[in-house]
Amino acid sequence: MQAQTQSHHYLDGLNDAQRSAVEAIDGPVLVLAGAGTGKTRVLTTRLAHILDSNAAFPGQILAVTFTNKAAQEMKDRVSSMLGGLPVEGWWLGTFHALNARMLRRHADLVGLSSNFSIIDPDDQIRLLKQLMEAAGIDVKKWPAKGASSIIERWKDQALTPDQISAADAGEFADGRILDIYKTYQKRLREINACDFGDLILHMITIFKDAAHNDVLAEYHRQFRYIMVDEYQDTNVAQYLWLRLLAQGSANICCVGDDDQSIYGWRGAEVGNILKFEKDFQGAKIVRLEQNYRSTGHILAAASSVINHNENRLGKTLWSDGGDGEKLVVKGLWDGDSEARWIGEKIEELQHKGQILNQIAILVRAGFQMRSFEERLIALGINYRVIGGPRFYERAEIRDALAYLRVTTQPNDDLAFERIINLPKRGIGKATIEMLYAHARGAGISLFQAVCDLCETDELRPKVKETLAQLTALFISWRDQIPVMPHNELCALILEESGYNAMLKADKAPEAAGRLENLKEMVAGMEEYDSLEAFLEHVALVLENREKGNASDAVTLITLHGAKGLEYDNVFLPGWEEGLFPSQRAMDETGLKGLEEERRLAYVGITRARKRAFISFVANRQMYGSWVNAIPSRFVAELPDDAVLSESDMGFAERRSSHWDSSASGYSSNNAGANSGFGGNIYARRRSAHNSHPTQRGLAAARKSTAPAYTRGQRVVHRSFGEGEIIYIDGQKLDILFDDGQTKRVMASFIESID
């Protein structure tokens, strides 16, 4: 009775639906927890209730979360509810953590020792590269990162190598990716290691092996209750693992929201939650619909949009906190106008007493951030980027900037070193050290050192040829600065350097976004009078960047990254067909992709507590060309009575559009608008510059000093040995070495023989 008495205090304050979810501890239960409905409270209270009711001990409950932070928070809350109950021995953690714990106990059943290593993604890629090179696969054409992504996807689908047919494997690595997967798994066992995907895959293999059915039976006896958070985000492997464990007890409770399933691109399968009732006969469905976060108008807008999805279990969010302010839907002329408008609105909110910490700009794609970052900087408004670096601090942008810096200023050693082997050109550490040694000895730049050594025999022939081609490219680009628009020149550099091709060959999910960021940078360069002016602007932006300790700052974040967060004021820009919903998502997965995009819109709207601002433009600069933008179909799906429409020009009535499955998104008023950076600018080739860089007058710009050597002098070279100087050309010396070979070398690489 004491336990029953204690149980009442943590049940206090729960609404009827929440209490029903907490107290339904027997049998399968699906808790459909809408945004802002107190999901975390229900989950932790339910766990506390099971323990406090003596229905199970901590070690008899399997509680699964998606992040370590969520797991720790759940432990702390439950412990606090129960008066400081110790958390040791609890089976509470992430999928990977729990499976690692299990696998340590049964590693021998899959050919591992209990002290196996768990390799991180970098080690995974490095190992795959080794195996692919050993198999004679061209890793430049078929990057190891791409192989890693394919193998990761197979493991997310719980597919071992013997479960994949050659026909289903695809053409990656000339059709040999399945062989690489087999070799990779074999090698992992040899070094007593596994990757993150293996943690779940190995346990599924053990559970399904009839020879080891005692293992699964053991866990069936142990776990009386299973609880799962964010069930809508589970992939196939996680789903199968849970299903196998749940066969022992029907007491499984999954908490999630099918309307917030937005991670299909990384393997999440919304179908897992949609078929819960089919998987678990007699399941109890509890809908948490009372929202404690947002106003009535915000919830009405979110519900109106998501109701257009066909594949959903259905629920309607409501609030007793009043309707609040209507959503503002703003039509603007172009992206710059959109950034200015949002900047003005933020200033207005500030003047009304709103703190910046409660203001967020949620974008569909990372490249959208540039215009907002620059506007906030111009207004002197602090901001932070969550989930990644600021626009000009992103690796691909810094790489592009390094190419531009070397083009304008060949003496910029830091920039040149950054990209000399990017993309990979076979320039090793030893070569870099040799270049720097000569540069320091001669008092010249790294670029000049490369030009010098390309006229000697110091470098290996292949490296010499590669570096000569690279310096020739930089000289040709430099020649174009006075005659070619600087944005077109940047596009040309990214193409001819091979940087674009490197990203296009990258099969990682983020590669496409990195290309989009580069295209956005190229487009934004039009705002500046010259390449030098653009580079100066970027330098000032980086100099004035927030140091990370600002107590009050606007948040810039992608819609995917915003899930689970909330703000008083939310801006949702770029609601245009092709951008949002993403044309790429719809092209790749059709209706499934469209519905996930709509769920993303639902997530975006429900991040707002008090105010939401949605904007779209009539003209958007995409990939270096202006395109006519069409308002997103999601705009037309907003309810009239919850929306205040504004427009700066004569937009057609926003609900006049009739969407169908053939909607194509952006329409271009420029031929070749989507053919890359700036249409067909690559077709406009200038006169060829095939001569060697040192034959194009670079010598005049070099710092040259007379060598302290004379003809006939005996010297020793660090690589070629001893010899006699037979000709002197400035710092370049022709030496007849004792082995009979004559080579041209730099004076900085020899020493006299006394």
Side-chain angles (χ1 to χ4, degrees):
M1 292 301 294
Q2 179 66 26
Q4 197 66 30
T5 302
Q6 291 177 345
S7 69
H8 288 292
H9 82 90
Y10 54 73
L11 295 175
D12 293 343
L14 298 176
N15 63 40
D16 291 344
Q18 290 173 332
R19 185 156 183 157
S20 176
V22 168
E23 296 182 324
I25 64 174
D26 296 322
V29 179
L30 176 62
V31 181
L32 286 177
T37 58
K39 176 204 69 171
T40 302
R41 183 179 182 185
V42 167
L43 203 59
T44 54
T45 307
R46 191 177 193 276
L47 183 53
H49 184 63
I50 292 172
L51 294 171
D52 197 50
S53 303
N54 294 321
F57 297 111
Q60 296 175 312
I61 304 172
L62 180 69
V64 191
T65 65
F66 266 83
T67 66
N68 291 316
K69 181 181 178 182
Q72 189 59 51
E73 183 181 0
M74 190 180 299
K75 288 180 181 179
D76 293 343
R77 287 194 181 191
V78 173
S79 179
S80 178
M81 286 182 183
L82 301 179
L85 180 74
V87 298
E88 289 78 10
W90 290 20
W91 282 80
L92 197 164
T94 65
F95 279 99
H96 288 141
L98 293 170
N99 275 275
R101 183 176 173 182
M102 290 181 175
L103 190 58
R104 296 284 182 197
R105 299 171 62 181
H106 312 289
D108 60 306
L109 302 181
V110 288
L112 297 171
S113 301
S114 61
N115 63 341
F116 61 83
S117 301
I118 303 173
I119 65 172
D120 60 26
D122 288 342
D123 288 336
Q124 181 181 356
I125 292 170
R126 188 158 51 251
L127 176 56
L128 281 168
K129 183 180 180 182
Q130 293 172 2
L131 298 175
M132 292 170 74
E133 288 175 338
I137 296 172
D138 186 352
V139 293
K140 292 183 178 179
K141 181 180 180 181
W142 306 105
K145 194 172 183 179
S148 175
S149 296
I150 294 171
I151 292 172
E152 182 181 358
R153 185 172 70 248
W154 282 335
K155 292 185 178 183
D156 285 346
Q157 297 170 343
L159 296 174
T160 57
D162 60 337
Q163 294 173 305
I164 304 167
S165 67
D168 293 334
E171 297 301 316
F172 189 89
D174 298 320
R176 299 171 62 190
I177 181 62
L178 182 55
D179 291 334
I180 293 298
Y181 184 18
K182 293 176 181 177
T183 306
Y184 173 67
Q185 293 300 98
K186 181 175 181 285
R187 183 59 180 154
L188 285 175
R189 285 186 170 88
E190 289 173 350
I191 63 175
N192 194 38
C194 59
D195 58 29
F196 288 110
D198 283 329
L199 296 173
I200 301 177
L201 186 60
H202 284 327
M203 288 310 306
I204 292 175
T205 300
I206 293 170
F207 287 164
K208 294 174 71 174
D209 189 344
H212 308 301
N213 55 19
D214 58 314
V215 176
L216 183 58
E218 176 189 344
Y219 288 110
H220 285 167
R221 290 190 297 271
Q222 178 175 350
F223 298 131
R224 301 186 62 180
Y225 294 93
I226 299 174
M227 295 175 59
V228 188
D229 191 14
E230 304 287 6
Y231 190 59
Q232 79 281 347
D233 292 334
T234 53
N235 59 35
V236 173
Q238 292 162 343
Y239 165 80
L240 290 174
W241 179 76
L242 287 168
R243 286 274 289 145
L244 286 164
L245 287 169
Q247 292 173 356
S249 170
N251 301 329
I252 181 170
C253 174
C254 295
V255 181
D257 184 2
D258 56 319
D259 291 335
Q260 295 190 72
S261 180
I262 60 174
Y263 298 122
W265 51 276
R266 67 184 190 195
E269 179 53 65
V270 68
N272 294 345
I273 193 170
L274 295 178
K275 62 185 181 182
F276 186 89
E277 287 183 280
K278 182 180 179 181
D279 289 336
F280 301 97
Q281 297 295 320
K284 179 182 179 70
I285 309 297
V286 181
R287 287 175 168 82
L288 305 184
E289 297 175 308
Q290 183 175 358
N291 180 281
Y292 296 94
R293 175 188 301 159
S294 306
T295 64
H297 283 319
I298 291 172
L299 296 178
S303 296
S304 180
V305 171
I306 200 63
N307 282 338
H308 286 77
N309 271 3
E310 296 178 5
N311 299 300
R312 59 189 295 263
L313 297 172
K315 61 184 174 304
T316 302
L317 300 184
W318 61 275
S319 172
D320 59 6
D323 288 339
E325 298 180 25
K326 291 186 175 183
L327 284 78
V328 175
V329 177
K330 181 76 169 181
L332 296 129
W333 179 249
D334 57 19
D336 288 340
S337 301
E338 183 179 53
R340 285 195 299 272
W341 177 72
I342 289 178
E344 291 168 1
K345 285 294 180 183
I346 291 174
E347 288 187 312
E348 288 179 15
L349 290 169
Q350 274 190 295
H351 293 152
K352 294 178 181 178
Q354 294 291 306
I355 62 173
L356 297 180
N357 281 341
Q358 288 300 325
I359 301 174
I361 304 173
L362 313 185
V363 299
R364 175 61 182 87
F367 75 84
Q368 293 174 261
M369 290 187 184
R370 183 195 63 83
S371 60
F372 301 117
E373 288 190 48
E374 299 208 353
R375 190 59 190 162
L376 293 172
I377 290 170
L379 295 172
I381 297 174
N382 287 332
Y383 72 93
R384 63 173 66 89
V385 176
I386 295 184
R390 296 185 174 205
F391 185 83
Y392 289 115
E393 295 172 349
R394 299 177 185 195
E396 65 274 13
I397 301 298
R398 283 190 174 273
D399 294 341
L401 292 172
Y403 271 104
L404 295 176
R405 285 163 53 188
V406 177
T407 300
T408 60
Q409 176 50 266
N411 293 332
D412 191 333
D413 284 359
L414 290 176
F416 191 51
E417 184 181 7
R418 181 182 181 96
I419 50 81
I420 191 172
N421 202 35
L422 196 67
K424 297 292 185 184
R425 299 186 174 96
I427 313 299
K429 183 179 179 181
T431 301
I432 299 292
E433 290 176 351
M434 177 186 293
L435 294 172
Y436 262 122
H438 174 56
R440 288 191 297 267
I444 59 177
S445 70
L446 192 62
F447 186 91
Q448 293 167 356
V450 171
C451 293
D452 279 352
L453 292 178
C454 283
E455 289 193 337
T456 73
D457 298 316
E458 304 280 359
L459 301 170
R460 290 182 288 110
K462 188 175 181 180
V463 172
K464 178 179 175 179
E465 181 183 3
T466 298
L467 288 174
Q469 291 173 350
L470 179 62
T471 52
L473 279 173
F474 273 110
I475 293 168
S476 69
W477 298 332
R478 197 172 306 134
D479 289 345
Q480 293 302 307
I481 293 176
V483 296
M484 179 179 280
H486 48 278
N487 63 315
E488 294 186 7
L489 176 58
C490 182
L492 187 69
I493 290 171
L494 291 169
E495 190 69 21
E496 291 189 339
S497 66
Y499 198 91
N500 283 348
M502 177 188 74
L503 291 182
K504 290 174 182 177
D506 190 346
K507 304 302 181 182
E510 63 272 15
R514 296 179 68 190
L515 271 171
E516 289 177 347
N517 291 336
L518 289 172
K519 292 170 183 175
E520 174 63 18
M521 188 194 79
V522 171
M525 293 174 67
E526 285 190 6
E527 302 172 13
Y528 303 92
D529 295 333
S530 66
L531 182 56
E532 290 80 4
F534 170 71
L535 291 173
E536 181 176 322
H537 165 76
V538 174
L540 292 173
V541 168
L542 294 173
E543 175 64 23
N544 292 308
R545 64 187 182 270
E546 184 217 341
K547 303 302 182 182
N549 57 0
S551 58
D552 197 25
V554 174
T555 296
L556 270 73
I557 191 171
T558 64
L559 285 162
H560 284 100
K563 185 172 175 290
L565 304 177
E566 56 187 69
Y567 305 89
D568 284 349
N569 312 279
V570 169
F571 291 89
L572 299 161
W575 280 42
E576 301 131 31
E577 286 293 304
L579 180 54
F580 190 43
S582 163
Q583 192 63 46
R584 185 175 22 175
M586 293 188 291
D587 289 344
E588 290 177 355
T589 53
L591 178 61
K592 185 177 180 181
L594 172 60
E595 293 208 338
E596 181 157 319
E597 289 290 293
R598 188 174 280 112
R599 293 194 293 269
L600 197 55
Y602 172 86
V603 167
I605 296 172
T606 55
R607 298 312 92 195
R609 284 193 286 255
K610 297 179 180 179
R611 301 170 194 87
F613 304 84
I614 295 171
S615 57
F616 58 92
V617 303
N619 305 278
R620 177 84 60 185
Q621 197 171 28
M622 298 285 289
Y623 313 149
S625 297
W626 286 98
V627 298
N628 298 327
I630 305 170
S632 169
R633 68 192 74 194
F634 303 154
V635 174
E637 294 168 1
L638 295 167
D640 288 319
D641 56 359
V643 168
L644 178 64
S645 298
E646 299 178 0
S647 176
D648 284 351
M649 65 299 198
F651 273 107
E653 179 63 28
R654 65 181 177 86
R655 286 170 183 78
S656 64
S657 301
H658 298 280
W659 301 107
D660 58 40
S661 60
S662 65
S664 60
Y666 285 104
S667 62
S668 173
N669 57 6
N670 290 304
N674 295 314
S675 62
F677 296 101
N680 63 352
I681 66 169
Y682 305 122
R684 300 203 307 263
R685 295 305 306 261
R686 61 272 185 278
S687 59
H689 298 273
N690 295 322
S691 59
H692 197 277
T694 55
Q695 299 173 343
R696 296 186 53 79
L698 279 181
R702 301 176 185 171
K703 180 180 178 181
S704 179
T705 58
Y709 301 104
T710 59
R711 289 180 63 182
Q713 185 174 357
R714 292 282 295 176
V715 294
V716 61
H717 187 276
R718 61 187 65 179
S719 298
F720 304 137
E722 296 183 6
E724 180 179 317
I725 298 174
I726 60 175
Y727 183 76
I728 299 175
D729 181 12
Q731 292 290 317
K732 294 181 282 291
L733 311 176
D734 289 354
I735 300 176
L736 175 61
F737 288 97
D738 293 350
D739 63 359
Q741 296 187 65
T742 300
K743 295 184 179 292
R744 173 161 286 200
V745 301
M746 298 304 304
S748 58
F749 289 102
I750 65 170
E751 295 179 1
S752 64
I753 299 176
D754 297 331

